[in-house]
Amino acid sequence: MPTFILLTKLSPTAMKDARTREQIGREWFETVKQKCPEVRWIDHFALLGQYDFMDIYEAPDEKTAIKVSMITMSKGAVKAESLPAIPYKQYLEVIKDI
């Protein structure tokens, strides 16, 4: 399955109360699991910088990645980007003939 990186920026109100942040995150995760059961989560990181969180996951296709981003936006993110991530060895194979 293709690998994707989800970069998420939350609204200031979603980040305001750290005590509710964990619950909101759990609700988001349960919604994604319910609506996109084929997604396999690899890792989840909190970030310091332009984005608040980064998730690495596998999904069968870009349509599923769109769903993950849209669910994320519906749960308090002001920005959610799902980017395809290509393993470096595959990347080298693609560019070998350039």
Side-chain angles (χ1 to χ4, degrees), residues 10 19 33 38 40-41 43 63 67 70 74 85 92:
L10 299 180
R19 293 173 299 208
K33 280 184 8 183
E38 63 274 39
R40 187 178 82 77
W41 297 97
D43 220 330
K63 289 179 183 179
K67 284 184 184 179
M70 294 293 94
S74 75
L92 292 176

Side-chain angles (χ1 to χ4, degrees), residues 10-55:
L10 299 180
S11 68
T13 55
M15 291 297 288
K16 198 170 192 174
D17 186 356
R19 293 173 299 208
T20 60
R21 181 66 237 143
E22 184 177 0
Q23 180 61 33
I24 293 167
R26 283 187 182 147
E27 290 171 8
W28 164 80
F29 188 67
E30 289 302 317
T31 302
V32 174
K33 280 184 8 183
Q34 177 189 12
K35 302 217 180 255
C36 306
E38 63 274 39
V39 168
R40 187 178 82 77
W41 297 97
I42 297 171
D43 220 330
H44 177 70
F45 298 92
L47 304 174
L48 302 174
Q50 181 179 357
Y51 292 92
D52 297 310
F53 298 101
M54 178 181 76
D55 293 278

Side-chain angles (χ1 to χ4, degrees), residues 72-83:
T72 303
M73 296 283 287
S74 75
K75 296 291 184 181
V78 293
K79 190 172 188 179
E81 293 182 58
S82 284
L83 309 170

